[in-house]
């Protein structure tokens, strides 16, 4: 049984939470998690992230049961690309939504295995025994410069273009989705988050807290949120955790925050 929890908070600076999130079990038994971090200003950002979550959950809720791993991968990719079409079309109809977009990081599991789909700088991590591995690569200008050896890891954090995203959902008619296979073993934790967490809380702290099995999963999520708030909370913060457990009371958490 995979237990899921999430928290989302507007932070200490922003007036609106432009993050949207959905985690839980789909009717066919698949586990789904989506974190989207909207951009484009007050109304546009939260509209973009909400449309992404609504479109993807709608599409994936109609999946057949027992599909193959390749079918699962295709379904996740198709849902993300459909969300891109919906957001891009909506932005083209309304001037106030011009150039709105959102990041997305999504997890779709059949049993303990499945895929992560990703666009933007929201992240997925895997935590085992307190060790953390970042599963996604940020689609950011500074990360591209770092990979080319043009700036250092330290420079990335202070670069004047450190917030520039090179790929987003809904800003262009066509977009490429990064897809990663994933398998969850007992005691391991998967974490999805917006950059309101990852920009302010180190990977080491994320691993230590997420992997602390002495704490309930809900408390781990809340501690991560509180760390981000203590570090300044200068952006919206969203955290979703997934843990494979032997016996957990059935639960489904469905919510989008905007």
């Amino acid at each position: 049984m995979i237990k899921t929890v999430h928290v989302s908070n507007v932070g200490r600076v922003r007036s609106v939470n432009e993050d949207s999130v959905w985690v839980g079990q789909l009717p066919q038994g698949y586990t789904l998690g989506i974190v989207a971090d909207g951009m484009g200003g007050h109304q546009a950002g939260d509209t973009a992230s909400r449309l992404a979550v609504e479109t993807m959950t709608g599409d994936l809720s109609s999946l057949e049961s027992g599909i193959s791993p390749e079918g699962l991968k295709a379904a996740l990719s198709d849902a993300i690309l459909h969300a891109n079409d919906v957001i891009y079309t909506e932005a083209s109809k309304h001037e106030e939504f011009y150039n709105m977009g959102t990041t997305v990081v999504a997890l779709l599991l059949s049993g303990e295995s499945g895929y992560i789909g990703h666009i933007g700088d929201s992240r997925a991590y895997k935590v085992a025994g307190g060790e953390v591995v970042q599963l996604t690569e940020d689609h950011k200008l500074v990360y591209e410069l770092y990979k080319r050896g043009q700036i250092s890891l330290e420079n990335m954090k202070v670069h004047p273009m450190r917030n520039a995203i090179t790929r987003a959902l809904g800003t262009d008619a066509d977009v490429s989705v990064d897809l990663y296979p994933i398998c969850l073993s007992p005691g391991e934790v998967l974490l999805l988050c917006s950059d309101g967490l990852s920009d302010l809380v180190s990977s080491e702290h994320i691993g230590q807290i997420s992997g602390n099995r002495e704490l309930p999963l809900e408390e781990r999520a809340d501690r991560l949120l509180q760390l981000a708030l203590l570090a300044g909370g200068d952006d919206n913060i969203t955290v979703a955790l997934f843990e494979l457990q032997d016996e957990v009371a059935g639960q489904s958490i469905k919510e989008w925050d905007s």
Side-chain angles (χ1 to χ4, degrees):
M1 176 69 185
I2 295 177
K3 183 171 183 179
T4 64
V5 302
H6 84 274
V7 291
S8 189
N9 189 282
V10 69
R12 299 190 182 279
V13 176
R14 305 290 181 88
S15 60
V16 174
N17 191 350
E18 296 181 51
D19 289 358
S20 295
V21 56
W22 197 105
V23 299
Q25 307 296 324
L26 295 176
Q28 317 88 325
Y30 301 115
T31 300
L32 175 65
I34 308 168
V35 171
D37 179 358
M39 62 195 77
H42 170 43
Q43 189 176 4
D46 62 332
T47 297
S49 66
R50 175 179 56 80
L51 287 173
V53 169
E54 289 179 348
T55 302
M56 292 176 63
T57 54
D59 287 359
L60 295 171
S61 292
S62 62
L63 277 182
E64 296 179 1
S65 59
I67 62 175
S68 67
E70 283 303 309
L72 205 70
K73 178 181 180 181
L76 180 58
S77 178
D78 288 347
I80 293 173
L81 293 175
H82 184 203
N84 187 77
D85 292 341
V86 169
I87 297 166
Y88 184 77
T89 299
E90 190 70 13
S92 67
K93 292 178 180 177
H94 304 282
E95 184 178 349
E96 66 270 27
F97 293 156
Y98 173 73
N99 207 35
M100 73 174 174
T102 183
T103 71
V104 67
V105 59
L107 169 72
L108 182 61
L109 296 176
S110 177
E112 295 84 37
S113 61
Y115 282 87
I116 289 169
H118 168 248
I119 296 173
D121 65 347
S122 294
R123 292 181 178 177
Y125 294 91
K126 187 175 185 179
V127 181
E131 297 295 321
V132 62
V133 176
Q134 184 178 330
L135 301 175
T136 53
E137 289 190 350
D138 295 346
H139 298 139
K140 299 184 82 167
L141 176 62
V142 290
Y143 186 67
E144 294 299 324
L145 295 174
Y146 169 71
K147 286 198 297 182
R148 296 174 195 158
Q150 295 178 249
I151 62 174
S152 68
L153 195 60
E154 291 73 25
N155 292 148
M156 286 175 61
K157 300 175 183 178
V158 296
H159 195 280
M161 297 294 288
R162 62 187 176 276
N163 294 321
I165 292 179
T166 57
R167 199 190 310 176
L169 193 70
T171 55
D172 296 288
D174 298 304
V175 70
S176 175
V177 183
D178 288 353
L179 293 158
Y180 309 87
I182 187 70
C183 186
L184 191 59
S185 299
E188 293 182 339
V189 175
L190 292 176
L191 180 148
L192 309 181
C193 68
S194 60
D195 65 343
L197 177 77
S198 55
D199 279 355
L200 295 177
V201 180
S202 69
S203 295
E204 290 76 16
H205 283 127
I206 288 174
Q208 290 168 6
I209 294 171
S210 300
N212 186 351
R213 301 194 69 197
E214 295 182 1
L215 298 175
L217 201 60
E218 294 85 354
E219 186 171 343
R220 288 178 246 171
D222 187 64
R223 286 196 181 191
L224 290 170
L225 171 63
Q226 295 305 320
L227 272 183
L229 289 172
L230 286 171
D234 57 5
D235 199 353
N236 308 144
I237 307 155
T238 298
V239 181
L241 296 176
F242 306 78
E243 184 174 52
L244 181 60
Q245 300 182 337
D246 294 330
E247 294 183 9
V248 177
Q251 70 169 32
S252 178
I253 302 172
K254 309 179 183 73
E255 182 173 327
W256 48 77
D257 301 312
S258 58

